[in-house]
Amino acid sequence: MRLTRLMGDVDDRFVEESMEVGKKKQRNWRWIGGLIVAAAVTLFAVNWDGFKELIPLSDSSSNMSVAYIDEADIDVGMSSANLVEMSEDELFSKWDPAVVRGVVKQIDHIELDFNGQTEYQSIVTIGVTDTYQGVVEQGSDINVLTVTGAGSEVLQSEASVVSELRLGMEGIFIAVPYDDTFVWKQNGATLQLSDISDYGFPDGERYMFLNTDEGLVFSRDAYPSLRGAETLDDIEVFMMTKF
């Protein structure tokens, strides 16, 4: 009875203030809990293999997806692919390629999911400084699709030259322009190559001449006329004469 009477003498303001403090604490805990949940979701998304930046594809591509990935995510084994035999003149003429001199500005690695079957490729962005053949403006950038291995050492028989490619490196490149006829079909899926790149290197060996720290690197066996070339300028003189 005494306790009841004492509580009856408490000012209503204090009762209301006490209730308000309890509500504020409850809101604070909810806010903190929300932050924890958001952080956990973000961490999960960043570390989840399925969370990748997809490249939009047209309706001409079907049953597949293409996504940017980190170099560490590339799963590449030994390749035993054989290069199709082509003469020096065929390398310069087949598919009417663009022949340009430029600097490597960016290297992106991509994962191609052909209806559950995975392949890996790289997209090289080249800042064009000179054009010897084709309709490519000086000062423009072109994207070129190539086999996996650009910018890193990989065990691929057809990628010994492209594996020398590095950011900031200068070179002369033979890039095949993609049109609607360039289609990659595999495992019940179809990829319109022009969906992901403007140009392509048919292999990673014969379509580039690179000015590396160790000197000029290219497939000398594929170009008998250039076996004695020592610098990129030597290659350019040949290109100017040829085209």
Side-chain angles (χ1 to χ4, degrees):
M1 294 294 293
R2 177 178 174 80
L3 178 60
T4 304
R5 287 198 300 270
L6 288 174
M7 291 182 63
D9 294 336
V10 176
D11 194 317
D12 291 341
R13 288 180 305 156
F14 299 118
V15 176
E16 293 174 359
E17 288 175 0
S18 176
M19 294 176 63
E20 189 63 30
V21 169
K23 290 179 180 178
K24 287 182 178 179
K25 287 183 178 180
Q26 189 176 20
R27 285 198 298 269
N28 288 340
W29 276 112
R30 287 179 180 174
W31 182 73
I32 293 172
L35 284 179
I36 294 173
V37 172
V41 170
T42 302
L43 183 63
F44 173 77
V46 169
N47 289 279
W48 179 42
D49 288 340
F51 189 78
K52 298 170 182 174
E53 181 184 352
L54 296 176
I55 297 177
L57 303 177
S58 70
D59 292 339
S60 298
S61 298
S62 60
N63 298 326
M64 72 169 306
S65 64
V66 181
Y68 291 108
I69 59 172
D70 294 329
E71 184 179 343
D73 295 328
I74 299 174
D75 182 13
V76 179
M78 199 68 179
S79 173
S80 58
N82 294 318
L83 300 178
V84 176
E85 186 174 347
M86 294 173 65
S87 68
E88 182 178 293
D89 286 337
E90 286 176 322
L91 289 168
F92 285 120
S93 61
K94 190 173 183 179
W95 302 301
D96 194 21
V99 183
V100 302
R101 181 169 181 163
V103 177
V104 178
K105 299 177 68 174
Q106 186 170 323
I107 300 174
D108 293 304
H109 304 292
I110 57 175
E111 180 183 81
L112 296 79
D113 185 343
F114 288 88
N115 201 24
Q117 198 171 84
T118 304
E119 300 286 347
Y120 297 93
Q121 299 272 284
S122 298
I123 298 177
V124 180
T125 302
I126 300 169
V128 177
T129 55
D130 291 287
T131 300
Y132 310 114
Q133 176 175 276
V135 184
V136 182
E137 292 185 8
Q138 295 180 12
S140 65
D141 293 345
I142 62 172
N143 296 323
V144 188
L145 182 69
T146 185
V147 296
T148 304
S152 63
E153 297 289 343
V154 293
L155 297 175
Q156 280 195 294
S157 61
E158 79 248 66
S160 60
V161 175
V162 74
S163 64
E164 299 285 343
L165 205 63
R166 298 291 184 273
L167 286 175
M169 181 175 287
E170 187 180 21
I172 291 177
F173 306 92
I174 303 173
V176 176
Y178 285 152
D179 58 26
D180 293 344
T181 64
F182 286 83
V183 177
W184 184 347
K185 293 186 177 182
Q186 182 172 321
N187 198 38
T190 300
L191 173 63
Q192 182 73 53
L193 291 176
S194 58
D195 282 353
I196 60 175
S197 184
D198 303 321
Y199 297 84
F201 295 135
D203 60 65
E205 181 74 16
R206 301 175 294 186
Y207 292 83
M208 60 197 76
F209 305 80
L210 305 178
N211 185 26
T212 73
D213 292 338
E214 287 73 36
L216 182 65
V217 173
F218 69 99
S219 178
R220 294 181 185 271
D221 289 341
Y223 298 94
S225 300
L226 293 168
R227 283 178 182 166
E230 296 182 356
T231 69
L232 206 59
D233 290 338
D234 293 339
I235 304 296
E236 180 174 77
V237 170
F238 173 84
M239 297 298 179
M240 296 289 288
T241 302
K242 187 172 184 62
F243 300 118

